Short mmCIF file of all heavy atoms in Angstrom, two decimals:
data_model
loop_
_atom_site.label_atom_id
_atom_site.label_comp_id
_atom_site.label_asym_id
_atom_site.label_seq_id
_atom_site.Cartn_x
_atom_site.Cartn_y
_atom_site.Cartn_z
N ASP L 1 -25.38 115.82 -117.38
CA ASP L 1 -25.86 115.69 -118.71
C ASP L 1 -26.30 114.36 -119.09
O ASP L 1 -26.78 114.11 -120.20
CB ASP L 1 -24.80 116.15 -119.78
CG ASP L 1 -23.48 115.43 -119.70
OD1 ASP L 1 -23.42 114.37 -118.99
OD2 ASP L 1 -22.55 115.85 -120.36
N GLY L 2 -26.20 113.38 -118.18
CA GLY L 2 -26.75 112.04 -118.59
C GLY L 2 -25.99 111.20 -119.47
O GLY L 2 -26.42 110.22 -119.92
N ILE L 3 -24.84 111.61 -119.92
CA ILE L 3 -24.11 110.86 -120.91
C ILE L 3 -23.12 109.91 -120.28
O ILE L 3 -22.38 110.27 -119.28
CB ILE L 3 -23.33 111.86 -121.91
CG1 ILE L 3 -24.33 112.76 -122.62
CG2 ILE L 3 -22.43 111.14 -122.76
CD1 ILE L 3 -23.68 113.82 -123.49
N ILE L 4 -23.15 108.73 -120.76
CA ILE L 4 -22.17 107.71 -120.20
C ILE L 4 -20.75 108.01 -120.80
O ILE L 4 -20.60 108.13 -122.02
CB ILE L 4 -22.62 106.30 -120.79
CG1 ILE L 4 -23.99 105.93 -120.17
CG2 ILE L 4 -21.66 105.16 -120.22
CD1 ILE L 4 -24.62 104.67 -120.72
N SER L 5 -19.91 108.19 -119.93
CA SER L 5 -18.55 108.60 -120.21
C SER L 5 -17.98 107.71 -121.36
O SER L 5 -17.99 106.48 -121.34
CB SER L 5 -17.61 108.34 -118.94
OG SER L 5 -16.34 108.70 -119.26
N GLY L 6 -17.49 108.44 -122.35
CA GLY L 6 -16.88 107.79 -123.56
C GLY L 6 -17.78 107.19 -124.57
O GLY L 6 -17.26 106.88 -125.58
N THR L 7 -19.09 107.05 -124.34
CA THR L 7 -19.92 106.40 -125.30
C THR L 7 -20.85 107.47 -126.03
O THR L 7 -21.36 107.18 -127.09
CB THR L 7 -20.79 105.35 -124.70
OG1 THR L 7 -21.69 106.06 -123.85
CG2 THR L 7 -19.97 104.33 -123.97
N GLY L 8 -21.08 108.58 -125.47
CA GLY L 8 -22.00 109.54 -126.01
C GLY L 8 -23.44 109.15 -125.78
O GLY L 8 -24.30 109.86 -126.39
N GLN L 9 -23.73 108.06 -125.16
CA GLN L 9 -25.11 107.65 -124.98
C GLN L 9 -25.67 108.20 -123.60
O GLN L 9 -24.98 108.31 -122.65
CB GLN L 9 -25.14 106.12 -124.93
CG GLN L 9 -24.73 105.55 -126.24
CD GLN L 9 -24.81 103.99 -126.19
OE1 GLN L 9 -24.08 103.47 -125.29
NE2 GLN L 9 -25.67 103.34 -127.01
N LYS L 10 -26.93 108.45 -123.66
CA LYS L 10 -27.59 108.94 -122.37
C LYS L 10 -28.11 107.83 -121.51
O LYS L 10 -28.61 106.84 -121.96
CB LYS L 10 -28.81 109.88 -122.70
CG LYS L 10 -28.41 111.25 -123.27
CD LYS L 10 -29.50 112.19 -123.09
CE LYS L 10 -29.09 113.69 -123.53
NZ LYS L 10 -28.48 114.34 -122.39
N LEU L 11 -27.86 108.00 -120.15
CA LEU L 11 -28.25 107.03 -119.17
C LEU L 11 -29.56 107.45 -118.61
O LEU L 11 -29.73 108.59 -118.21
CB LEU L 11 -27.22 106.80 -118.23
CG LEU L 11 -27.42 105.71 -117.13
CD1 LEU L 11 -27.51 104.35 -117.87
CD2 LEU L 11 -26.31 105.71 -116.13
N LEU L 12 -30.54 106.53 -118.50
CA LEU L 12 -31.75 106.77 -117.92
C LEU L 12 -31.96 105.99 -116.57
O LEU L 12 -31.30 105.04 -116.41
CB LEU L 12 -32.97 106.44 -118.83
CG LEU L 12 -32.96 107.08 -120.14
CD1 LEU L 12 -34.09 106.56 -121.05
CD2 LEU L 12 -33.03 108.62 -119.99
N LYS L 13 -32.85 106.45 -115.63
CA LYS L 13 -33.14 105.62 -114.46
C LYS L 13 -34.61 105.57 -114.19
O LYS L 13 -35.38 106.47 -114.73
CB LYS L 13 -32.33 106.22 -113.26
CG LYS L 13 -32.79 107.64 -112.90
CD LYS L 13 -31.99 108.22 -111.76
CE LYS L 13 -32.38 109.70 -111.42
NZ LYS L 13 -31.56 110.28 -110.36
N ARG L 14 -35.04 104.71 -113.39
CA ARG L 14 -36.45 104.47 -113.09
C ARG L 14 -36.50 103.89 -111.65
O ARG L 14 -35.82 103.03 -111.26
CB ARG L 14 -37.05 103.51 -114.04
CG ARG L 14 -38.55 103.33 -113.83
CD ARG L 14 -39.25 102.42 -114.81
NE ARG L 14 -40.59 102.57 -114.60
CZ ARG L 14 -41.55 102.30 -115.53
NH1 ARG L 14 -41.11 101.99 -116.74
NH2 ARG L 14 -42.82 102.38 -115.23
N TRP L 15 -37.41 104.49 -110.94
CA TRP L 15 -37.72 104.02 -109.52
C TRP L 15 -38.58 102.82 -109.68
O TRP L 15 -39.59 102.86 -110.43
CB TRP L 15 -38.40 105.20 -108.82
CG TRP L 15 -38.53 105.02 -107.37
CD1 TRP L 15 -39.31 104.15 -106.67
CD2 TRP L 15 -37.86 105.79 -106.31
NE1 TRP L 15 -39.17 104.31 -105.28
CE2 TRP L 15 -38.22 105.37 -105.07
CE3 TRP L 15 -36.90 106.81 -106.35
CZ2 TRP L 15 -37.79 105.80 -103.84
CZ3 TRP L 15 -36.38 107.34 -105.20
CH2 TRP L 15 -36.84 106.90 -103.96
N SER L 16 -38.31 101.81 -108.92
CA SER L 16 -39.07 100.65 -108.92
C SER L 16 -39.58 100.34 -107.46
O SER L 16 -38.72 100.15 -106.61
CB SER L 16 -38.38 99.49 -109.58
OG SER L 16 -39.13 98.27 -109.43
N CYS L 17 -40.88 100.14 -107.29
CA CYS L 17 -41.36 99.86 -105.96
C CYS L 17 -42.21 98.61 -105.96
O CYS L 17 -42.59 98.10 -107.07
CB CYS L 17 -42.20 101.05 -105.31
SG CYS L 17 -43.65 101.41 -106.14
N ALA L 18 -42.56 98.11 -104.77
CA ALA L 18 -43.33 96.81 -104.63
C ALA L 18 -44.72 96.88 -105.07
O ALA L 18 -45.33 95.84 -105.27
CB ALA L 18 -43.18 96.40 -103.22
N LEU L 19 -45.30 98.08 -105.18
CA LEU L 19 -46.77 98.25 -105.62
C LEU L 19 -47.66 97.45 -104.67
O LEU L 19 -48.59 96.80 -105.12
CB LEU L 19 -46.95 97.79 -107.08
CG LEU L 19 -46.17 98.72 -108.10
CD1 LEU L 19 -46.34 98.06 -109.52
CD2 LEU L 19 -46.53 100.15 -108.08
N ASP L 20 -47.41 97.64 -103.34
CA ASP L 20 -48.35 97.03 -102.41
C ASP L 20 -48.86 98.09 -101.40
O ASP L 20 -48.44 99.21 -101.52
CB ASP L 20 -47.86 95.76 -101.76
CG ASP L 20 -46.52 96.05 -100.93
OD1 ASP L 20 -46.28 97.30 -100.63
OD2 ASP L 20 -45.72 95.09 -100.68
N GLU L 21 -49.60 97.65 -100.43
CA GLU L 21 -50.13 98.63 -99.46
C GLU L 21 -49.12 99.17 -98.49
O GLU L 21 -49.27 100.18 -97.84
CB GLU L 21 -51.26 97.91 -98.60
CG GLU L 21 -50.73 96.85 -97.63
CD GLU L 21 -50.47 95.49 -98.34
OE1 GLU L 21 -50.83 95.32 -99.45
OE2 GLU L 21 -49.80 94.70 -97.64
N LYS L 22 -47.90 98.68 -98.51
CA LYS L 22 -46.86 99.25 -97.65
C LYS L 22 -45.99 100.35 -98.31
O LYS L 22 -45.15 101.02 -97.65
CB LYS L 22 -45.90 98.11 -97.16
CG LYS L 22 -46.54 97.08 -96.28
CD LYS L 22 -45.56 95.95 -95.88
CE LYS L 22 -46.18 94.92 -95.09
NZ LYS L 22 -45.31 93.93 -94.74
N VAL L 23 -46.16 100.51 -99.58
CA VAL L 23 -45.40 101.57 -100.28
C VAL L 23 -45.73 102.90 -99.94
O VAL L 23 -46.90 103.33 -99.80
CB VAL L 23 -45.51 101.30 -101.87
CG1 VAL L 23 -44.79 102.42 -102.61
CG2 VAL L 23 -44.87 99.94 -102.25
N ARG L 24 -44.75 103.77 -99.66
CA ARG L 24 -44.91 105.19 -99.36
C ARG L 24 -45.57 105.78 -100.56
O ARG L 24 -45.17 105.54 -101.75
CB ARG L 24 -43.65 105.83 -99.01
CG ARG L 24 -43.03 105.44 -97.72
CD ARG L 24 -41.56 106.03 -97.60
NE ARG L 24 -40.97 105.78 -96.33
CZ ARG L 24 -40.25 104.76 -96.14
NH1 ARG L 24 -40.02 103.85 -97.13
NH2 ARG L 24 -39.73 104.55 -94.94
N GLU L 25 -46.50 106.74 -100.43
CA GLU L 25 -47.05 107.47 -101.52
C GLU L 25 -46.04 108.19 -102.45
O GLU L 25 -46.10 108.19 -103.62
CB GLU L 25 -48.05 108.48 -100.95
CG GLU L 25 -48.89 109.20 -102.05
CD GLU L 25 -49.87 108.37 -102.82
OE1 GLU L 25 -50.29 107.35 -102.23
OE2 GLU L 25 -50.09 108.64 -103.94
N SER L 26 -45.02 108.74 -101.77
CA SER L 26 -44.01 109.44 -102.56
C SER L 26 -43.17 108.53 -103.41
O SER L 26 -42.73 108.83 -104.48
CB SER L 26 -43.11 110.28 -101.63
OG SER L 26 -42.40 109.48 -100.77
N HIS L 27 -43.04 107.26 -102.91
CA HIS L 27 -42.30 106.27 -103.65
C HIS L 27 -43.14 105.74 -104.87
O HIS L 27 -42.53 105.43 -105.91
CB HIS L 27 -41.79 105.20 -102.84
CG HIS L 27 -40.78 105.64 -101.78
ND1 HIS L 27 -39.93 104.72 -101.11
CD2 HIS L 27 -40.44 106.81 -101.39
CE1 HIS L 27 -39.22 105.43 -100.28
NE2 HIS L 27 -39.47 106.69 -100.49
N LEU L 28 -44.43 105.58 -104.60
CA LEU L 28 -45.37 105.19 -105.69
C LEU L 28 -45.32 106.18 -106.80
O LEU L 28 -45.28 105.92 -108.02
CB LEU L 28 -46.69 104.92 -105.10
CG LEU L 28 -47.76 104.55 -106.15
CD1 LEU L 28 -47.44 103.33 -106.91
CD2 LEU L 28 -49.17 104.48 -105.49
N GLU L 29 -45.47 107.45 -106.46
CA GLU L 29 -45.47 108.59 -107.38
C GLU L 29 -44.11 108.58 -108.22
O GLU L 29 -44.14 108.74 -109.42
CB GLU L 29 -45.68 109.91 -106.69
CG GLU L 29 -47.04 110.06 -106.14
CD GLU L 29 -47.21 111.37 -105.36
OE1 GLU L 29 -46.39 112.26 -105.41
OE2 GLU L 29 -48.25 111.42 -104.71
N ALA L 30 -43.03 108.41 -107.55
CA ALA L 30 -41.75 108.34 -108.22
C ALA L 30 -41.66 107.16 -109.23
O ALA L 30 -41.14 107.32 -110.27
CB ALA L 30 -40.60 108.26 -107.22
N SER L 31 -42.21 105.96 -108.80
CA SER L 31 -42.30 104.75 -109.71
C SER L 31 -43.12 105.08 -110.89
O SER L 31 -42.80 104.63 -112.03
CB SER L 31 -42.79 103.63 -108.92
OG SER L 31 -42.80 102.46 -109.63
N LEU L 32 -44.23 105.79 -110.78
CA LEU L 32 -45.10 106.07 -111.86
C LEU L 32 -44.54 107.12 -112.83
O LEU L 32 -45.12 107.25 -114.00
CB LEU L 32 -46.37 106.54 -111.33
CG LEU L 32 -47.21 105.44 -110.53
CD1 LEU L 32 -48.45 106.08 -109.95
CD2 LEU L 32 -47.63 104.25 -111.42
N GLU L 33 -43.51 107.80 -112.49
CA GLU L 33 -42.85 108.77 -113.40
C GLU L 33 -42.23 108.11 -114.70
O GLU L 33 -42.10 108.77 -115.68
CB GLU L 33 -41.69 109.49 -112.74
CG GLU L 33 -42.14 110.52 -111.70
CD GLU L 33 -41.01 111.18 -111.00
OE1 GLU L 33 -40.19 111.76 -111.69
OE2 GLU L 33 -40.94 111.11 -109.83
N GLY L 34 -41.84 106.90 -114.53
CA GLY L 34 -41.20 106.17 -115.67
C GLY L 34 -39.76 106.54 -115.73
O GLY L 34 -39.15 106.90 -114.74
N TRP L 35 -39.19 106.41 -116.89
CA TRP L 35 -37.73 106.71 -117.15
C TRP L 35 -37.55 108.12 -117.09
O TRP L 35 -38.11 108.88 -117.83
CB TRP L 35 -37.30 106.02 -118.39
CG TRP L 35 -37.33 104.61 -118.38
CD1 TRP L 35 -38.33 103.77 -118.89
CD2 TRP L 35 -36.49 103.59 -117.71
NE1 TRP L 35 -38.05 102.44 -118.65
CE2 TRP L 35 -36.94 102.26 -117.97
CE3 TRP L 35 -35.26 103.81 -117.07
CZ2 TRP L 35 -36.29 101.17 -117.51
CZ3 TRP L 35 -34.65 102.60 -116.54
CH2 TRP L 35 -35.18 101.40 -116.77
N ILE L 36 -36.43 108.61 -116.30
CA ILE L 36 -35.99 109.97 -116.40
C ILE L 36 -34.44 110.00 -116.58
O ILE L 36 -33.82 108.97 -116.42
CB ILE L 36 -36.35 110.60 -115.05
CG1 ILE L 36 -35.67 110.11 -113.82
CG2 ILE L 36 -37.85 110.65 -114.81
CD1 ILE L 36 -35.79 110.91 -112.61
N LEU L 37 -33.92 111.15 -116.91
CA LEU L 37 -32.47 111.32 -117.16
C LEU L 37 -31.79 111.01 -115.81
O LEU L 37 -32.20 111.33 -114.66
CB LEU L 37 -32.13 112.67 -117.50
CG LEU L 37 -32.61 113.11 -118.95
CD1 LEU L 37 -32.32 114.50 -119.22
CD2 LEU L 37 -31.84 112.19 -119.91
N TYR L 38 -30.55 110.37 -115.97
CA TYR L 38 -29.83 109.96 -114.78
C TYR L 38 -29.55 111.09 -113.76
O TYR L 38 -29.62 110.84 -112.57
CB TYR L 38 -28.53 109.37 -115.26
CG TYR L 38 -27.56 109.01 -114.14
CD1 TYR L 38 -27.78 107.85 -113.42
CD2 TYR L 38 -26.51 109.86 -113.86
CE1 TYR L 38 -26.90 107.44 -112.43
CE2 TYR L 38 -25.65 109.49 -112.84
CZ TYR L 38 -25.89 108.26 -112.07
OH TYR L 38 -25.00 107.95 -111.07
N GLU L 39 -29.25 112.32 -114.21
CA GLU L 39 -28.91 113.35 -113.35
C GLU L 39 -30.20 114.07 -112.67
O GLU L 39 -30.04 114.85 -111.72
CB GLU L 39 -28.10 114.43 -114.05
CG GLU L 39 -28.81 115.22 -115.13
CD GLU L 39 -28.80 114.59 -116.41
OE1 GLU L 39 -28.42 113.42 -116.60
OE2 GLU L 39 -29.24 115.17 -117.46
N ASP L 40 -31.36 113.78 -113.18
CA ASP L 40 -32.59 114.36 -112.62
C ASP L 40 -32.99 113.88 -111.28
O ASP L 40 -32.65 112.67 -110.99
CB ASP L 40 -33.70 114.30 -113.59
CG ASP L 40 -33.51 115.13 -114.81
OD1 ASP L 40 -32.64 116.00 -114.89
OD2 ASP L 40 -34.31 114.97 -115.81
N LEU L 41 -33.69 114.59 -110.52
CA LEU L 41 -34.28 114.07 -109.29
C LEU L 41 -35.63 113.56 -109.51
O LEU L 41 -36.34 113.97 -110.46
CB LEU L 41 -34.39 115.23 -108.23
CG LEU L 41 -33.18 115.85 -107.73
CD1 LEU L 41 -33.50 117.06 -106.84
CD2 LEU L 41 -32.22 114.90 -107.02
N PHE L 42 -36.04 112.58 -108.65
CA PHE L 42 -37.44 112.06 -108.79
C PHE L 42 -38.35 113.09 -108.17
O PHE L 42 -37.89 113.95 -107.43
CB PHE L 42 -37.56 110.77 -108.17
CG PHE L 42 -36.80 109.61 -108.94
CD1 PHE L 42 -35.54 109.14 -108.65
CD2 PHE L 42 -37.54 109.03 -110.07
CE1 PHE L 42 -34.96 108.19 -109.42
CE2 PHE L 42 -36.89 108.02 -110.77
CZ PHE L 42 -35.68 107.66 -110.50
N SER L 43 -39.62 112.94 -108.29
CA SER L 43 -40.64 113.91 -107.76
C SER L 43 -40.60 113.93 -106.29
O SER L 43 -40.99 115.04 -105.74
CB SER L 43 -42.02 113.45 -108.22
OG SER L 43 -42.35 112.14 -107.80
N ASN L 44 -40.05 112.99 -105.57
CA ASN L 44 -39.86 113.04 -104.09
C ASN L 44 -38.63 113.77 -103.75
O ASN L 44 -38.40 113.87 -102.51
CB ASN L 44 -40.10 111.62 -103.51
CG ASN L 44 -39.04 110.72 -104.04
OD1 ASN L 44 -38.04 111.12 -104.67
ND2 ASN L 44 -39.11 109.44 -103.75
N GLY L 45 -37.92 114.25 -104.65
CA GLY L 45 -36.71 115.05 -104.29
C GLY L 45 -35.46 114.14 -104.15
O GLY L 45 -34.38 114.67 -103.82
N LEU L 46 -35.60 112.89 -104.30
CA LEU L 46 -34.43 111.93 -104.17
C LEU L 46 -33.77 111.66 -105.43
O LEU L 46 -34.38 111.61 -106.49
CB LEU L 46 -34.94 110.60 -103.44
CG LEU L 46 -35.59 110.77 -102.14
CD1 LEU L 46 -35.98 109.40 -101.54
CD2 LEU L 46 -34.86 111.53 -101.09
N ARG L 47 -32.50 111.22 -105.34
CA ARG L 47 -31.69 110.80 -106.51
C ARG L 47 -31.98 109.39 -106.79
O ARG L 47 -31.89 109.02 -107.93
CB ARG L 47 -30.20 111.04 -106.29
CG ARG L 47 -29.86 112.56 -106.19
CD ARG L 47 -28.32 112.76 -105.84
NE ARG L 47 -28.14 112.16 -104.48
CZ ARG L 47 -27.00 111.72 -104.07
NH1 ARG L 47 -25.93 111.78 -104.82
NH2 ARG L 47 -26.90 111.29 -102.76
N TYR L 48 -32.24 108.61 -105.79
CA TYR L 48 -32.49 107.20 -105.90
C TYR L 48 -33.06 106.66 -104.58
O TYR L 48 -32.96 107.32 -103.58
CB TYR L 48 -31.19 106.44 -106.19
CG TYR L 48 -30.02 106.86 -105.40
CD1 TYR L 48 -29.78 106.45 -104.19
CD2 TYR L 48 -29.14 107.77 -105.98
CE1 TYR L 48 -28.67 106.90 -103.32
CE2 TYR L 48 -28.05 108.19 -105.28
CZ TYR L 48 -27.74 107.77 -103.91
OH TYR L 48 -26.79 108.23 -103.22
N PRO L 49 -33.68 105.43 -104.56
CA PRO L 49 -34.10 104.79 -103.35
C PRO L 49 -32.88 104.70 -102.34
O PRO L 49 -31.74 104.43 -102.84
CB PRO L 49 -34.58 103.43 -103.72
CG PRO L 49 -34.97 103.57 -105.15
CD PRO L 49 -33.94 104.56 -105.72
N HIS L 50 -33.07 104.88 -101.06
CA HIS L 50 -32.09 104.77 -100.04
C HIS L 50 -31.09 105.91 -100.16
O HIS L 50 -29.91 105.75 -99.61
CB HIS L 50 -31.38 103.48 -100.08
CG HIS L 50 -32.33 102.37 -100.25
ND1 HIS L 50 -33.13 101.82 -99.16
CD2 HIS L 50 -32.62 101.49 -101.33
CE1 HIS L 50 -33.81 100.79 -99.64
NE2 HIS L 50 -33.59 100.57 -100.92
N ASP L 51 -31.41 107.03 -100.74
CA ASP L 51 -30.56 108.18 -100.92
C ASP L 51 -30.02 108.59 -99.54
O ASP L 51 -30.87 108.89 -98.65
CB ASP L 51 -31.30 109.34 -101.57
CG ASP L 51 -30.47 110.51 -101.89
OD1 ASP L 51 -29.42 110.72 -101.29
OD2 ASP L 51 -30.89 111.30 -102.85
N GLU L 52 -28.76 108.64 -99.27
CA GLU L 52 -28.16 108.87 -97.98
C GLU L 52 -28.47 110.36 -97.54
O GLU L 52 -28.33 110.73 -96.36
CB GLU L 52 -26.62 108.70 -97.95
CG GLU L 52 -25.82 109.59 -98.80
CD GLU L 52 -25.72 109.03 -100.19
OE1 GLU L 52 -26.32 107.97 -100.59
OE2 GLU L 52 -25.02 109.64 -101.08
N ASN L 53 -28.89 111.24 -98.39
CA ASN L 53 -29.26 112.56 -98.08
C ASN L 53 -30.71 112.80 -97.70
O ASN L 53 -31.10 113.91 -97.38
CB ASN L 53 -28.84 113.57 -99.18
CG ASN L 53 -27.33 113.55 -99.41
OD1 ASN L 53 -26.48 113.70 -98.53
ND2 ASN L 53 -26.93 113.39 -100.77
N ALA L 54 -31.49 111.67 -97.80
CA ALA L 54 -32.90 111.83 -97.58
C ALA L 54 -33.25 111.68 -96.06
O ALA L 54 -32.41 111.20 -95.23
CB ALA L 54 -33.68 110.70 -98.32
N SER L 55 -34.46 112.14 -95.68
CA SER L 55 -34.86 111.99 -94.33
C SER L 55 -35.16 110.51 -93.99
O SER L 55 -35.42 109.72 -94.88
CB SER L 55 -36.12 112.82 -94.03
OG SER L 55 -37.19 112.27 -94.81
N ALA L 56 -35.18 110.17 -92.69
CA ALA L 56 -35.50 108.84 -92.33
C ALA L 56 -36.89 108.36 -92.80
O ALA L 56 -37.08 107.22 -93.13
CB ALA L 56 -35.43 108.68 -90.81
N GLU L 57 -37.78 109.36 -92.87
CA GLU L 57 -39.20 108.97 -93.23
C GLU L 57 -39.20 108.45 -94.71
O GLU L 57 -40.11 107.74 -95.09
CB GLU L 57 -40.09 110.19 -93.14
CG GLU L 57 -40.37 110.67 -91.78
CD GLU L 57 -39.31 111.47 -91.09
OE1 GLU L 57 -38.42 112.01 -91.89
OE2 GLU L 57 -39.20 111.52 -89.91
N GLU L 58 -38.14 108.82 -95.46
CA GLU L 58 -38.16 108.37 -96.85
C GLU L 58 -37.33 107.12 -97.13
O GLU L 58 -37.53 106.35 -98.13
CB GLU L 58 -37.54 109.43 -97.73
CG GLU L 58 -38.48 110.68 -97.96
CD GLU L 58 -39.62 110.39 -98.93
OE1 GLU L 58 -39.55 109.34 -99.60
OE2 GLU L 58 -40.59 111.12 -98.95
N VAL L 59 -36.44 106.72 -96.22
CA VAL L 59 -35.57 105.58 -96.46
C VAL L 59 -35.69 104.38 -95.46
O VAL L 59 -35.36 103.25 -95.93
CB VAL L 59 -34.08 106.11 -96.50
CG1 VAL L 59 -33.91 106.96 -97.67
CG2 VAL L 59 -33.68 106.72 -95.24
N VAL L 60 -36.07 104.66 -94.24
CA VAL L 60 -36.24 103.52 -93.31
C VAL L 60 -37.16 102.53 -93.83
O VAL L 60 -38.41 102.81 -94.15
CB VAL L 60 -36.53 104.03 -91.87
CG1 VAL L 60 -36.88 102.84 -90.99
CG2 VAL L 60 -35.47 104.90 -91.35
N ASN L 61 -36.84 101.25 -93.86
CA ASN L 61 -37.61 100.18 -94.32
C ASN L 61 -38.06 100.24 -95.84
O ASN L 61 -39.04 99.58 -96.18
CB ASN L 61 -38.90 99.92 -93.48
CG ASN L 61 -38.45 99.45 -92.06
OD1 ASN L 61 -37.56 98.75 -91.92
ND2 ASN L 61 -39.16 99.99 -91.05
N CYS L 62 -37.41 101.04 -96.59
CA CYS L 62 -37.68 101.18 -98.02
C CYS L 62 -37.36 99.85 -98.72
O CYS L 62 -36.20 99.33 -98.53
CB CYS L 62 -36.94 102.32 -98.65
SG CYS L 62 -37.16 102.52 -100.42
N ARG L 63 -38.22 99.37 -99.59
CA ARG L 63 -37.93 98.11 -100.37
C ARG L 63 -37.75 98.40 -101.84
O ARG L 63 -37.78 97.52 -102.62
CB ARG L 63 -39.03 97.13 -100.09
CG ARG L 63 -39.20 96.76 -98.63
CD ARG L 63 -40.53 96.07 -98.44
NE ARG L 63 -41.67 96.91 -98.66
CZ ARG L 63 -42.78 96.58 -99.35
NH1 ARG L 63 -42.88 95.40 -99.88
NH2 ARG L 63 -43.73 97.48 -99.56
N CYS L 64 -37.55 99.67 -102.14
CA CYS L 64 -37.53 100.06 -103.55
C CYS L 64 -36.10 99.81 -104.11
O CYS L 64 -35.13 99.60 -103.41
CB CYS L 64 -37.86 101.58 -103.74
SG CYS L 64 -39.54 101.96 -103.15
N ALA L 65 -35.99 99.83 -105.45
CA ALA L 65 -34.81 99.60 -106.19
C ALA L 65 -34.73 100.64 -107.31
O ALA L 65 -35.70 101.30 -107.74
CB ALA L 65 -34.83 98.19 -106.73
N LEU L 66 -33.54 100.79 -107.89
CA LEU L 66 -33.32 101.66 -108.95
C LEU L 66 -32.92 100.87 -110.23
O LEU L 66 -32.10 99.93 -110.14
CB LEU L 66 -32.14 102.67 -108.67
CG LEU L 66 -32.01 103.78 -109.61
CD1 LEU L 66 -33.28 104.75 -109.73
CD2 LEU L 66 -30.79 104.61 -109.33
N LEU L 67 -33.54 101.17 -111.32
CA LEU L 67 -33.36 100.50 -112.57
C LEU L 67 -32.53 101.50 -113.53
O LEU L 67 -32.79 102.72 -113.42
CB LEU L 67 -34.60 100.03 -113.20
CG LEU L 67 -35.54 99.17 -112.43
CD1 LEU L 67 -36.86 98.96 -113.18
CD2 LEU L 67 -34.80 97.85 -112.01
N TYR L 68 -31.67 100.99 -114.35
CA TYR L 68 -30.92 101.80 -115.35
C TYR L 68 -31.15 101.26 -116.64
O TYR L 68 -31.34 100.00 -116.88
CB TYR L 68 -29.49 101.75 -115.03
CG TYR L 68 -29.05 102.33 -113.66
CD1 TYR L 68 -28.88 101.56 -112.60
CD2 TYR L 68 -28.78 103.68 -113.52
CE1 TYR L 68 -28.38 101.99 -111.39
CE2 TYR L 68 -28.39 104.16 -112.35
CZ TYR L 68 -28.23 103.45 -111.27
OH TYR L 68 -27.82 103.90 -110.08
N LYS L 69 -31.03 102.15 -117.72
CA LYS L 69 -30.94 101.65 -119.09
C LYS L 69 -30.34 102.89 -119.92
O LYS L 69 -30.33 103.98 -119.52
CB LYS L 69 -32.38 101.33 -119.65
CG LYS L 69 -33.27 102.43 -120.03
CD LYS L 69 -34.46 101.93 -120.78
CE LYS L 69 -35.39 102.98 -121.23
NZ LYS L 69 -36.57 102.47 -122.04
N VAL L 70 -29.89 102.46 -120.99
CA VAL L 70 -29.29 103.42 -122.04
C VAL L 70 -30.47 103.90 -122.83
O VAL L 70 -31.22 103.05 -123.43
CB VAL L 70 -28.22 102.80 -122.87
CG1 VAL L 70 -27.73 103.78 -123.97
CG2 VAL L 70 -27.10 102.44 -122.02
N ALA L 71 -30.55 105.16 -123.14
CA ALA L 71 -31.64 105.84 -123.96
C ALA L 71 -31.47 105.29 -125.36
O ALA L 71 -30.32 105.05 -125.87
CB ALA L 71 -31.65 107.28 -123.82
N GLU L 72 -32.54 104.99 -125.98
CA GLU L 72 -32.52 104.52 -127.40
C GLU L 72 -32.28 105.72 -128.41
O GLU L 72 -32.81 106.78 -128.22
CB GLU L 72 -33.78 103.76 -127.76
CG GLU L 72 -33.90 102.50 -126.98
CD GLU L 72 -35.13 101.79 -127.06
OE1 GLU L 72 -36.01 102.08 -128.01
OE2 GLU L 72 -35.44 100.83 -126.34
#
């Protein structure tokens, strides 16, 4: 439900990539989605960069990061 335990506030996440010629297309697309609910999957089917359930094609040499914020 995206709610931070005990506070009643919703947590959002955002995929952040390097925005250069080495970035995977699926990671660029996830980055362009903007802020999404914490429990939602990104368009590439991952929960976050380096998701341990992802295929090697999605995580090997990935330079992406995950950003968090509380919804306003």
Side-chain angles (χ1 to χ4, degrees):
D1 60 7
I3 295 177
I4 300 173
S5 179
T7 68
Q9 296 177 299
K10 286 201 175 270
L11 185 62
L12 303 175
K13 64 184 178 181
R14 183 175 187 155
W15 193 288
S16 178
C17 68
L19 297 176
D20 62 17
E21 69 282 348
K22 295 180 182 180
V23 172
R24 293 172 175 88
E25 185 66 29
S26 64
H27 293 197
L28 176 59
E29 289 174 12
S31 184
L32 295 174
E33 288 178 54
W35 294 100
I36 66 171
L37 290 175
Y38 176 77
E39 69 273 10
D40 289 348
L41 295 176
F42 288 98
S43 58
N44 58 12
L46 303 182
R47 294 174 294 156
Y48 44 79
H50 315 285
D51 188 335
E52 65 274 2
N53 296 311
S55 66
E57 291 81 20
E58 286 289 343
V59 296
V60 172
N61 295 322
C62 175
R63 300 169 294 132
C64 299
L66 189 64
L67 307 175
Y68 296 97
K69 78 173 185 175
V70 175
E72 297 175 10

